[in-house]
Amino acid sequence: MFLVCIGFMSHWNIWESDEMDEGFSVGRRWEDLDTDILVKIFQSFDIFQLTSGIAHVCSAWRLACCDPLLWKTLDLSMLKSNFIKIPLEPYVYVDGRSDKTLTRLLKISLNLSQGNITSLIFHFNLYVSDEQLTYTAERCPRLRRLVLPAWNRIKTTGICKAIQKWEDLESLTMPSIANPRDLIEKIANNCRNFSELKVMGPFDVSFASTLAEYLPKLKVLSLRCSMLIKDALILMLDRLQCLEVLNISHCLLIETPAPPAPRRIIKELDQTILEKASRLREFLTCMADSCIMCQRTENDEGLMRWYKYEEGLWKADEVSSLSL
């Protein structure tokens, strides 16, 4: 990155020297390059390049580095933690150097962004701590979209504390959690414009009833590639009357009859479900035996092990507003 900066500066300095040799009066220096042009150039840089030190070249470059156009989205989806799995909570151990890298990147980015970030995206294998999340929340007061698929190291109190800072939050991508009530209630009470939710993981009746109770005005819900209980699906279709878009593509749809009858996998949606879903603007489904994604969901028992598949696959979604 520094080579790019040095090369650019050298080119400008050579131009300046040529003018001086030809007897012209020079009124501009390389740091006087128009801010709009600098911003346009910096827009082609990724997060690692933007935080590599170009803001310290001079005051003009720092001003350009702080331009809101560069910081609408903080995309960390190319950064993964260096971790190993462990048998006890939080089920991952993150290398200290990996944590330091993320902390450094967050501090520089959030300093330069000056509170202008509206979208924040973390990788599926980027394990953020409570401290890192709190630090971020305090410096992103205008956040509208959060993609945070891994919560292994985040406690419910930590994410609720962050949600309290994000009154403008409209969209959340999250993992499945055992007790979602506190979180969903916090969103309902704090985020007046919240309308989109993507859950990456098993989705049961408890989760569905919590959404119906606290977020009855939810408009978009994506559960793709998850284990979905049939009764939870019916409950959502019955009670989420404002729902416009529902994505259950590649889901492992499970029917759980009363014991001792075993649960069974449903391979085709029945007419009752289709009729209930007919009021939706979009009802996205895929349950084909020939579909590779459906096969993967079934093989992974409804908890997609994204790290086994193509890099970036976890970002995809049939709902355009939830795709990265």
Side-chain angles (χ1 to χ4, degrees):
M1 181 57 232
F2 275 116
L3 292 177
V4 175
C5 294
I6 292 170
F8 179 64
M9 290 186 293
S10 297
H11 173 75
W12 188 261
N13 280 327
I14 289 171
W15 175 84
E16 181 182 77
S17 298
D18 288 344
E19 279 196 331
M20 292 178 69
D21 291 342
E22 293 174 12
F24 289 104
S25 173
V26 179
R28 298 180 67 190
R29 299 170 299 172
W30 58 264
E31 60 263 40
D32 294 329
L33 186 63
D34 188 83
T35 300
D36 291 340
I37 296 176
L38 283 172
V39 171
K40 192 70 175 177
I41 294 170
F42 293 166
Q43 280 182 304
S44 65
F45 294 172
D46 62 30
I47 186 62
F48 298 108
Q49 293 170 326
L50 277 175
T51 58
S52 64
I54 60 175
H56 298 295
V57 171
C58 65
S59 59
W61 283 37
R62 181 171 182 80
L63 180 64
C65 283
C66 294
D67 192 284
L69 288 175
L70 299 177
W71 297 106
K72 291 181 179 179
T73 298
L74 177 55
D75 188 351
L76 300 177
S77 63
M78 74 291 290
L79 182 66
K80 295 182 284 186
S81 297
N82 184 20
F83 70 96
I84 58 172
K85 294 189 174 182
I86 56 177
L88 301 175
E89 288 188 2
Y91 305 112
V92 293
Y93 171 77
V94 177
D95 178 77
R97 290 172 297 179
S98 183
D99 253 349
K100 288 181 180 178
T101 297
L102 175 57
T103 298
R104 174 187 171 277
L105 201 60
L106 286 173
K107 284 185 176 181
I108 297 174
S109 300
L110 297 173
N111 184 36
L112 293 174
S113 67
Q114 300 182 344
N116 287 303
I117 293 171
T118 57
S119 294
L120 180 58
I121 303 168
F122 293 94
H123 191 276
F124 181 79
N125 285 327
L126 184 56
Y127 296 99
V128 181
S129 68
D130 275 329
E131 293 77 15
Q132 290 166 334
L133 183 64
T134 299
Y135 180 87
T136 301
E138 290 172 347
R139 290 158 180 80
C140 293
R142 302 178 186 176
L143 197 70
R144 295 171 58 189
R145 184 185 183 207
L146 174 65
V147 177
L148 186 60
W151 290 15
N152 295 59
R153 302 170 67 199
I154 299 175
K155 297 181 177 63
T156 300
T157 53
I159 186 63
C160 286
K161 185 177 179 180
I163 292 295
Q164 196 165 358
K165 302 285 185 182
W166 291 324
E167 295 182 357
D168 295 329
L169 191 69
E170 299 175 5
S171 175
L172 173 65
T173 295
M174 61 175 287
S176 179
I177 57 176
N179 300 298
R181 181 171 296 272
D182 288 345
L183 168 66
I184 301 302
E185 184 178 8
K186 180 66 70 174
I187 292 174
N189 293 335
N190 190 71
C191 309
R192 59 190 180 281
N193 296 321
F194 192 84
S195 61
E196 291 190 347
L197 179 65
K198 179 177 182 179
V199 181
M200 298 178 69
F203 192 86
D204 58 15
V205 173
S206 174
F207 210 138
S209 60
T210 301
L211 288 184
E213 180 178 356
Y214 292 105
L215 295 176
K217 295 183 180 180
L218 192 68
K219 293 182 180 180
V220 179
L221 177 62
S222 178
L223 306 170
R224 70 187 308 269
C225 302
S226 299
M227 182 175 72
L228 172 60
I229 303 302
K230 179 182 176 181
D231 288 342
L233 173 59
I234 293 174
L235 188 153
M236 289 187 297
L237 291 172
D238 284 341
R239 296 181 58 188
L240 290 177
Q241 291 299 309
C242 293
L243 197 64
E244 299 176 3
V245 179
L246 176 60
N247 186 8
I248 62 168
S249 298
H250 324 300
C251 278
L252 188 65
L253 189 59
I254 302 293
E255 186 171 37
T256 54
R263 73 179 192 178
R264 69 183 186 91
I265 299 174
I266 298 175
K267 292 292 187 178
E268 187 176 353
L269 296 174
D270 60 42
Q271 192 59 36
T272 302
I273 292 176
L274 293 175
E275 287 177 0
K276 291 177 181 293
S278 62
R279 67 173 178 81
L280 300 175
R281 176 164 54 84
E282 288 185 81
F283 183 46
L284 303 164
T285 68
C286 180
M287 304 173 69
D289 290 335
S290 59
C291 173
I292 294 177
M293 291 295 288
C294 289
Q295 293 171 15
R296 288 171 172 171
T297 306
E298 186 167 352
N299 291 339
D300 292 339
E301 299 178 328
L303 184 60
M304 282 287 283
R305 295 173 176 84
W306 300 98
Y307 57 84
K308 298 194 303 183
Y309 307 117
E310 299 91 335
E311 177 62 34
L313 182 63
W314 66 273
K315 303 179 188 179
D317 199 296
E318 288 77 8
V319 182
S320 59
S321 59
L322 292 173
S323 298
L324 303 190

